[in-house]
Amino acid sequence: MTIYPINTGNFKLDGGAMFGVVPKSLWSRTNPADLNNMCDWSMRSLLIEDGNRLILIDTGIGDKQSEKFFSHYYLSDENSLEPNLNNIGFSIDDITDVFLTHLHFDHCGGAIKWNKDRKGFEPVFKNAIYWSNDKHWEWATKPNNREKASFLSENIIPIEESGQLKFINRKENFTRNVFKNFDVLFVDGHTESMMIPHIYYKGKTIVFMADLLPSVGHLPIPYVMGYDTRPLLTLSEKEKFLNLAVEEDYILFFEHDYINECCTLRKTERGVRLQNAFNFSELF
């Protein structure tokens, strides 16, 4: 098995929204903001080459939204999914599985594109199975008013219409029934039934953090995004996960941290904190 980090682009989000009730004087130490209070964030995917399967975790924001939409997020065109796949010797048609941690636009937008005549939408990865779960799918296709702007129907419904959608049962043994060397933690604080992949690789556990922990700056327990639908639940999910991550020596892979790709953790008198930050390429 081989793992490749894939940068699908960078964007900006409001610092206050990303850190909730935490004062700017504190969160700006790790995530400085520009004059508009916007902070830089990445959108990293992971590509897992495992035998005859090529598994992509999350897809970034894509390029099909309007210019007005993208203007809100200051999307950088320095990186995008397809060219970066090509750079490591793969094409979009090689992908066999697309694992979507959840269906917010910055995680799944790159899974769907305009069709040739721009009258409809179609999957980017025509040979892939798209993996979600039934609880999250229902949550996303019948969105609450708080998340409606994050669940865009053009990113979601074409997956089902293509016939390429499959659901993971929250109660099943994921490693045995879906992928080898791969397990999933379900969490519900950010959004209903978000999936956090745990990949067993060369004697280590690599955890794809999605929006449970967007960045190193979110390590302190109270540092919870304003986007989370159940922030008190996020607090308990984070605390449980971080303590286990120290005990099991997990390697955390960040989807959104603009500076830090990976890290390990340690326990301190102030709680779980950063031990070392590094790029994935430095690991093995």
Side-chain angles (χ1 to χ4, degrees):
M1 182 168 71
T2 308
I3 297 178
Y4 309 88
I6 306 287
N7 195 332
T8 73
N10 301 316
F11 69 146
K12 293 184 180 233
L13 291 171
D14 183 85
M18 286 299 287
F19 288 94
V21 300
V22 178
K24 182 178 180 180
S25 59
L26 296 179
W27 59 252
S28 61
R29 296 173 186 175
T30 56
N31 296 81
D34 65 18
L35 294 176
N36 294 317
N37 210 48
M38 305 291 277
C39 300
D40 291 311
W41 306 95
S42 71
M43 290 179 286
R44 294 189 191 91
S45 298
L46 269 185
L47 184 69
I48 304 170
E49 184 181 17
D50 193 6
N52 61 357
R53 299 181 84 164
L54 201 59
I55 306 156
L56 182 67
I57 302 176
D58 280 357
T59 65
I61 203 168
D63 60 5
K64 66 183 174 299
Q65 306 306 137
S66 68
E67 185 176 339
K68 180 180 179 181
F69 177 90
F70 286 129
S71 71
H72 297 306
Y73 302 103
Y74 303 88
L75 187 67
S76 165
D77 59 3
E78 293 176 3
N79 287 286
S80 59
L81 178 55
E82 186 170 3
N84 284 337
L85 275 175
N86 298 158
N87 288 341
I88 57 173
F90 299 108
S91 75
I92 56 174
D93 293 342
D94 294 329
I95 304 299
T96 62
D97 300 88
V98 177
F99 182 95
L100 299 170
T101 61
H102 61 300
L103 296 167
H104 288 166
F105 65 80
D106 54 318
H107 295 259
C108 73
I112 298 295
K113 64 181 180 180
W114 286 103
N115 59 18
K116 286 185 179 180
D117 59 11
R118 294 183 68 86
K119 293 182 179 179
F121 302 98
E122 63 186 20
V124 169
F125 308 97
K126 64 182 182 181
N127 298 318
I129 296 169
Y130 284 69
W131 295 95
S132 184
N133 67 81
D134 56 353
K135 285 189 175 182
H136 184 66
W137 188 266
E138 183 175 7
W139 186 268
T141 54
K142 301 173 183 177
N144 58 75
N145 287 332
R146 184 181 177 90
E147 289 181 276
K148 190 176 292 186
S150 294
F151 290 130
L152 307 180
S153 61
E154 60 267 32
N155 288 336
I156 300 170
I157 302 305
I159 300 174
E160 184 175 38
E161 292 175 341
S162 73
Q164 294 171 240
L165 175 66
K166 284 192 177 182
F167 289 149
I168 294 159
N169 188 320
R170 189 161 177 163
K171 296 180 180 179
E172 78 179 332
N173 185 319
F174 184 87
T175 306
R176 184 180 67 231
N177 296 331
V178 183
F179 300 130
K180 299 182 296 182
N181 307 312
F182 195 136
D183 211 341
V184 174
L185 169 69
F186 286 83
V187 290
D188 302 294
H190 178 61
T191 188
E192 175 71 28
S193 293
M194 181 169 67
M195 301 188 290
I196 305 297
H198 289 48
I199 303 117
Y200 308 119
Y201 183 61
K202 297 187 178 181
K204 297 287 186 180
T205 300
I206 314 296
V207 184
F208 186 90
M209 293 312 306
D211 283 342
L212 177 61
L213 199 72
S215 72
V216 165
H218 289 85
L219 280 171
I221 299 298
Y223 286 49
V224 171
M225 290 190 289
Y227 299 113
D228 285 22
T229 59
R230 306 178 182 111
L232 293 178
L233 182 54
T234 297
L235 288 175
S236 62
E237 289 173 340
K238 270 180 67 176
E239 185 171 23
K240 182 178 180 180
F241 171 81
L242 291 173
N243 284 320
L244 185 62
V246 173
E247 292 171 11
E248 300 294 333
D249 197 25
Y250 289 168
I251 294 166
L252 277 52
F253 181 89
F254 293 106
E255 186 164 13
H256 287 316
D257 193 311
Y258 185 71
I259 301 298
N260 305 292
E261 197 168 90
C262 299
C263 84
T264 53
L265 304 174
R266 62 190 174 94
K267 284 189 177 179
T268 73
E269 293 180 354
R270 297 181 299 132
V272 175
R273 292 292 186 270
L274 177 70
Q275 182 177 51
N276 292 304
F278 45 86
N279 290 328
F280 188 84
S281 60
E282 299 174 57
L283 272 171
F284 304 102

